[in-house]
Each structure stands twice: as C-alpha cells, then as structure tokens.
Amino acid sequence: MNKKTPLYKLHIQHGAKMVEFAGYQMPIQYKSGIIQEHKFTRENAGIFDVSHMGQLFINGSDHLTDDLEKIFPVNLKNLKTNQSKYSFLMNDKGGIYDDLIITKLKDGYLIILNAACKKQDLEIIKKKLNGKYDLNLDENLSLIALQGPKAKDVLGKVVSNITNLKFMNGGEFEYDNSNIYITRSGYTGEDGFEISLDNKKVVKFVDQLINHGAKLIGLGARDTLRLEAGLCLYGNDLDEKTSPIEANLKWAIPKSRVGSDYPGSDIIKKQIDNGVKTLRVGIKPETRVIARGNTKIFDQNDKEIGKVTSGTFGPSVECSIAMGYVENNYSPTNTKIFLEVRGKKVPANVCDLPFYKKNYVKGEKNV
C-alpha cells in the first residue's frame, strides 16, 4: 500500500492525476497539464508537495561536525547556523548513494534526503555514527516547495519577515502560533523557498498560498523545470556507480576536502588528478525529437559513446533537451553526437548546462 502525504485529499480536490512515486501516491499533474504548470511556475509561484522526501535531524555533542565530515565530502566547519550546502552520501568506490542538502541548525543538522533513498540513508548514516548521536527521520513534518518569481511575494503574505533570507540560508519563522522552518532553496532554477511544518498545519498553509495566487504543481512539471536548470535527478542522472566527478558536480566538493577522510575520498582524488572516462553533459537534439533516459549515444562513425539519463521538451527554452554521460573526449561543448531514437540516428550537439538561466537570490542581485 503506497503512503499518502497530508496533502493527498487537497491534491484530489484540485484534480490531480496521482501516481506511485517512491512508495507514495503523488500528483504527477493537474488539469491544466505539465506544460502550463511549468510555465506558471516560471512566471508566478508554484506549490510542490515534497513531503515524501526525508527530513533527518541529527543532534549531538561538539564532535558531531567532525564525525559528519567523515561521512560527507563537504566543509561543515565553515557552515554558519541556518546555512545549507548540497552534498552526497557516497560509498567506498565514490558512487553516490544519494544527493542531499545539509543545513546547520543551532543544536545539530537537518539533512533533506530523496524519498526513495531515505530509509537506506538513515541506516547508513546511523551505522557510521555508531550510535553516538540522536537521529530522527521526522514523519510528523511536511515539506512544501514554493517556487517562482512571485514566491517571495506570496509567502510574504502568509509568513512575516522572510524577504531577508538569501539563497541556501534558512531560519525559524512563526506561523499559526507555532514555529516553522524555511530555507530559500528549491530544485527548479527559480527563486523560491522550502517550508518544513507540522503535518497538522500544512493543509491550511497551502490553502493560504493558493488564496494568494500560487497554484499546486505536479511532479511532471518539477521534472521539466529541474532538467532545464541542469539539475540531476537521483536514480536517473546519479546512482551508486557514478561519482560526483563523473556527474560533473566537482564544484560541490571543496578543495579542502579533496583527499580527506570520507567514503570514496581516494577515488575522488584520483579522478580529480587524472580525469574520468565518462562525464555528464548537456545535449540538444537538432530536431524536436525527445530522447528519453537510456537512449544510446553514438559518434559520427557509429561508435556507441554513452547514453542519455534524462530527456524532455523544455517548455521555457522551447526545444528538446537532455542530459547524459559520454566518453570524456566527446564532452567538449558543440561536439557532434547522434541519439538513437526509435531506430533512427538523430543528430545532436553537446552543450553547456544549464539550459535555462537560474534565478536564485544571493543578496541584492539575482544569480
């Protein structure tokens, strides 16, 4: 039996088409359809129910930061309270168990985990911390992402004093006589917020966002939005056999952590020093044909050189887009490649990521 988030009935009331995703009944789209939901988010404020994702709280002593740095390849010592960083849970071969967001709290850390990985992640982290700390994968909290250029205005009508938050920073705010936790983050390439709040308050909260002009958006549009922004989807673009270096996410591992003590660190250092055989790249087909995941990639001599991991039509960039892994010597921008779609070789080109310019807010300027 698939689980339901506290917003299940609201999704149904708004005409959602529900599908199974990571063990949950989740909205894939509403009546307006994926393209209209995508465009609405780019121009307004879309509400995403991401309550199926894991919210793992870890509390402990002063040694917690040192011990977590033995698990994650991120510089937690430099993280300020309420600041977040993107990172990975890796295996000893440098493969990615999960990609996640770590936020430093006053008394510990909050780690946002992918829904399909959260139970596995909890066991891995618990084992590595050897019972020294209090871990709580809190099922009493919902997680809502409000994304789009009008997200700040909409959220500001429901919660006070959120406008000073900068990208990848968070804090506690008051809502309905209780504290909720908000970070300025998201996974669409747009300015936006992720709001963690009590399951008992979430329906009222989302209703208020809707009353102020936001709309519920399904996972279908979330996928096209994140792909336009060049963001990876775990299970498609990342897996246990792929390292962050091969995934072209070297930027997420600070130089100070290269070669230090965490799972797979020796592999990561070798890959940084010597290069990798395959690399994640952006791909633009020369036609409107859509190359889905597992589409084979060839060079002009019909040699198979890789495969697509995500592909769709980008409603904002108005062309077909894809990401995939190719042999490293085919990774430079503008390299001509061919995609095998329904038995035919479709010409395409390697391109820079992202496909759509991100609109995150860091201080006074958008970046």
Side-chain angles (χ1 to χ4, degrees):
M1 181 69 74
N2 292 324
K3 290 185 175 181
K4 297 174 181 176
T5 73
L7 290 178
Y8 178 82
K9 289 184 179 178
L10 193 68
H11 293 314
I12 298 297
Q13 290 170 8
H14 283 261
K17 178 182 178 182
M18 307 298 286
V19 298
E20 187 276 335
F21 183 82
Y24 285 79
Q25 281 290 309
M26 300 299 294
I28 187 73
Q29 66 176 78
Y30 297 84
K31 291 180 180 176
S32 59
I34 292 174
I35 291 177
Q36 292 306 314
E37 291 172 28
H38 176 114
K39 291 182 176 179
F40 183 87
T41 303
R42 288 272 186 252
E43 298 168 359
N44 296 279
I47 306 166
F48 300 80
D49 179 12
V50 287
S51 302
H52 57 315
M53 300 183 76
Q55 299 186 63
L56 175 62
F57 292 85
I58 306 178
N59 296 318
S61 68
D62 294 339
H63 298 292
L64 175 58
T65 297
D66 289 332
D67 287 337
L68 288 180
E69 283 200 350
K70 294 175 184 175
I71 300 175
F72 304 106
V74 63
N75 195 337
L76 295 175
K77 292 186 180 72
N78 288 350
L79 212 57
K80 298 176 182 176
T81 299
N82 293 320
Q83 190 177 15
S84 306
K85 286 289 183 184
Y86 176 76
S87 192
F88 314 98
L89 180 62
M90 298 195 299
N91 57 38
D92 291 337
K93 296 181 179 178
I96 301 172
Y97 281 132
D98 198 4
D99 63 331
L100 38 82
I101 301 290
I102 303 176
T103 301
K104 185 174 184 178
L105 304 177
K106 289 179 183 176
D107 302 315
Y109 291 87
L110 165 62
I111 307 178
I112 303 298
L113 310 168
N114 278 301
C117 307
K118 61 184 182 183
K119 290 185 178 178
Q120 168 195 274
D121 294 352
L122 174 62
E123 293 307 314
I124 293 172
I125 296 169
K126 186 184 293 183
K127 186 176 180 180
K128 289 186 178 297
L129 291 177
N130 201 25
K132 293 167 64 178
Y133 304 102
D134 176 30
L135 279 70
N136 177 24
L137 189 60
D138 199 329
E139 300 281 349
N140 296 313
L141 294 175
S142 294
L143 189 64
I144 302 301
L146 182 67
Q147 302 284 292
K150 296 183 181 178
K152 181 184 70 174
D153 295 334
V154 171
L155 184 59
K157 292 174 182 174
V158 180
V159 181
S160 301
N161 302 320
I162 52 91
T163 55
N164 291 330
L165 277 181
K166 298 176 183 177
F167 181 62
M168 297 299 277
N169 281 267
E172 286 190 351
F173 294 84
E174 184 178 346
Y175 171 73
D176 197 22
N177 300 315
S178 63
N179 288 331
I180 62 175
Y181 196 81
I182 300 176
T183 58
R184 197 158 195 165
S185 59
Y187 220 63
T188 62
E190 294 295 337
D191 181 29
F193 303 85
E194 291 194 349
I195 304 108
S196 171
L197 73 169
D198 194 306
N199 288 342
K200 296 174 183 175
K201 307 255 183 182
V202 68
V203 172
K204 178 181 177 180
F205 182 80
V206 169
D207 270 336
Q208 287 183 298
L209 296 178
I210 292 171
N211 289 337
H212 288 296
K215 285 186 178 179
L216 286 163
I217 306 295
L219 294 181
R222 190 167 189 261
D223 192 52
T224 57
L225 289 158
R226 71 90 193 164
L227 183 48
E228 281 189 338
L231 300 170
C232 293
L233 177 66
Y234 191 83
N236 285 37
D237 309 301
L238 306 175
D239 59 32
E240 294 180 18
K241 295 181 179 178
T242 306
S243 80
I245 309 306
E246 292 167 319
N248 225 338
L249 298 170
K250 177 182 168 184
W251 57 266
I253 301 179
K255 289 182 180 178
S256 61
R257 299 305 320 280
V258 174
S260 58
D261 184 22
Y262 54 82
S265 62
D266 55 338
I267 303 293
I268 296 300
K269 187 174 188 312
K270 286 179 183 176
Q271 290 185 342
I272 290 176
D273 289 343
N274 305 324
V276 291
K277 292 182 179 179
T278 61
L279 198 65
R280 179 177 65 95
V281 296
I283 299 166
K284 278 189 178 178
E286 292 185 359
T287 69
R288 292 170 69 91
V289 70
I290 295 174
R292 301 292 186 188
N294 292 319
T295 296
K296 292 179 180 178
I297 305 173
F298 296 84
D299 72 1
Q300 58 186 0
N301 296 316
D302 221 20
K303 175 191 173 188
E304 187 174 338
I305 58 170
K307 70 174 184 178
V308 170
T309 49
S310 291
T312 190
F313 181 81
S316 299
V317 296
E318 297 183 331
C319 65
S320 294
I321 55 176
M323 294 195 302
Y325 287 80
V326 295
E327 293 179 15
N328 202 353
N329 53 320
Y330 294 93
S331 65
T333 301
N334 296 324
T335 299
K336 189 87 165 186
I337 56 177
F338 294 85
L339 310 173
E340 187 176 74
V341 181
R342 294 188 290 276
K344 295 182 179 179
K345 300 288 181 17
V346 177
N349 295 284
V350 173
C351 67
D352 294 331
L353 292 170
F355 301 100
Y356 179 87
K357 185 178 180 298
K358 298 170 185 172
N359 294 305
Y360 302 144
V361 175
K362 293 183 178 179
E364 296 299 321
K365 296 180 180 179
N366 288 8
V367 295

